Amino acid sequence: MTTKLCVPLTANTYERMAADIRAATAAQADMIELRLDHLRDHDLASLRRLMDAARSFPGELIVTCRMAEEGGRWDGDESGRVSLMELAGLCGAHYLDFEYEAWRRSANIRQKIGLVCDVNTDSSRPRARLILSKHDFERTPDDPASILADIAREPAHVVKLACKANKITDSLLMLEALRASAAVRPTIALSMGEAGILARVLARKWGAVLTFASLEAGQESAPGQVPVTQMREMYRWDALNAETRVYGVIGCPVAHSMSPAIMNAAFGEVGHNGVYLPMRVEPDYTDFRAFVDGCLRRPWLDLRGCSVTIPHKQNLLRYVEERGGDIEPLARRIGAANTLSVEKGTRPDGSDARVSASNTDYRGAMDALMAGLAGGGDLGDAAVVVLGAGGASRAIVAGLRDAGCRVTICNRTADKARALADEFQATARPWNDRGRLEADVVVNCTSIGMWPKVDESPLPGGPRLGKMVVFDTIYNPIETQLLRDARERGCRTIDGVAMFVNQAAAQFQIWTGIPAPTATIRLHLVQRLGR
Ligand code: NAP
């Protein structure tokens, strides 16, 4: 079964809902769901007109009137709800969605809706198909597969379960349930919330009946729905299939990461059958391990690689070490990794999967710096001041020391500057001295000046001398306050875009074995930054 992209329509008047039907048609939705419970007034004549308007939609139509106890807005009586749904079924709805609990407790619903949906006959062409659904807006149960199996004991054409994912591992549970259920019956199984995106996008890999996608951001019928255009354009919905390999960016927070946009565009450009998703994993090591272990235990998921960002770069090293995987010597020396690669084994429990960790920030930063220098990029024994002593700083300090530079580190937390300086034979100076230091190159590895606090600068007075080279690793915004001040003072400036493109391109090549389309990566990054 090819999974449909279904757009729920949640307007509160019949006129607006009719307009949304036209908008969903223009957005190339495969299906629409009319959420009658969102309408302010409920009269049968208006519903009949709405169903007429819905005939212009070229795809299939679900009609739902969700009761309050399952997250809907219906606050009228049950007989009124049944009358609306009966009429929708008689007026051409392809599917009627009723809650499993309401179905079980009401003989009236079973009799009337069962009749409209022909569930008690052998009719091969029912007038409307019955979706029996269950929703939990609080949590994901331990065994969602058994709930789908329970629903399937009733005469439903489609079983549906939607639960809040409080952690990304809840999405893995839901995908497991979807995979088992969809193999034997038409199934919809979804995770709600930010951590649920994995289950929403990957629903297509295991042939769910549908996944929901909002008409536009802000018009979701449940939390975590991705806008339909983003589903099609960014996640390349139409190209996803059972063989699609899974990648992502593990971080916390991760919702605003640019990586899904650029990596998916790069996969599309070279025809690689992969999808790259945001993977929000809570900061603790135990959360990191639970998620990656959870993916590896399910080899059918086909996780092949992840970018790993704040706050998990050291967790990645620890994880790969504990699992006996390969750590690139450079990543070990730097003490941080940003790239997880997975090589699948053959055992069904995934226990023979091989993991490895590498660091592409080092090369990405050094290549960007060299390319930005005058005269072909020779650093020689340049004096470099590095601001910050976090993950990016570690990679850059290592790179600068390997190139023979004299490095001075200034960090707000002095102990961290000293520890980093000791490790790489650099010098630590107090944070407050940063504006007074003589240097050929200044590199900002702090997050000061990053969106949304774009007016801030780690060097509030600007760089001291016009002959300095100023490299800001921040890429959002492209021109930071620091770079603006430096440019106005006549300094040569290097922004963080090249570093970002370089490190992403290196990850792409590690995972796919082919050179990355760097022009596409740059274009998509700059386009998103320009929005
Ligand atoms: P990190 O490990 O969390 O380190 C953050 C650093 O910023 C620490 O040194 C921290 O100082 C300092 N800092 C944060 N807020 C500060 C403030 N208000 N005042 C003074 N210092 C402050 O993060 P990271 O991974 O190294 O990332 C740091 C920067 O590098 C980010 O802006 C990120 O955008 C950039 N980066 C860019 C790329 C790229 O590809 N272009 C790749 C990676 C990172 P304390 O130690 O005192 O907390």
Side-chain angles (χ1 to χ4, degrees), residues 37 42 66-68 72-77:
D37 53 306
H42 297 94
R66 181 75 64 236
M67 61 185 188
R73 298 197 177 173
W74 177 259
D75 57 2
D77 63 22

Side-chain angles (χ1 to χ4, degrees), residues 143-193:
D143 189 3
S146 72
I147 296 178
L148 286 165
D150 285 347
I151 300 174
R153 289 198 188 92
E154 299 296 325
H157 296 106
V158 178
V159 297
K160 174 185 168 190
L161 181 63
C163 299
K164 168 87 187 293
N166 290 312
K167 288 192 170 188
I168 193 163
T169 41
D170 290 339
S171 286
L172 298 179
L173 274 182
M174 192 57 85
L175 280 172
E176 188 158 49
L178 167 65
R179 179 171 174 261
S181 181
V184 290
R185 64 184 84 89
T187 302
I188 303 166
L190 293 166
S191 291
M192 297 185 277

Side-chain angles (χ1 to χ4, degrees), residues 309-311 313 338 361 364-365 387-394 396 410-414 416-417 431 434 444-448 450 453 456 458 471-476 495-504:
T309 182
I310 300 170
K313 289 186 179 180
N338 70 339
D361 281 339
L387 305 175
S393 176
R394 293 187 74 78
I396 288 176
C410 295
N411 191 53
R412 178 179 60 178
T413 309
K416 282 169 69 182
W431 177 242
R434 65 195 184 282
N444 177 35
C445 296
T446 75
S447 44
I448 306 172
M450 192 161 82
K453 295 184 176 170
E456 296 181 0
F471 173 22
D472 199 335
T473 62
I474 291 173
Y475 58 87
N476 186 11
D495 62 47
V497 167
M499 174 179 170
F500 191 78
V501 172
N502 294 345
Q503 60 81 30

Side-chain angles (χ1 to χ4, degrees), residues 101 140 298 444:
E101 301 293 350
T140 298
R298 298 170 173 92
N444 177 35

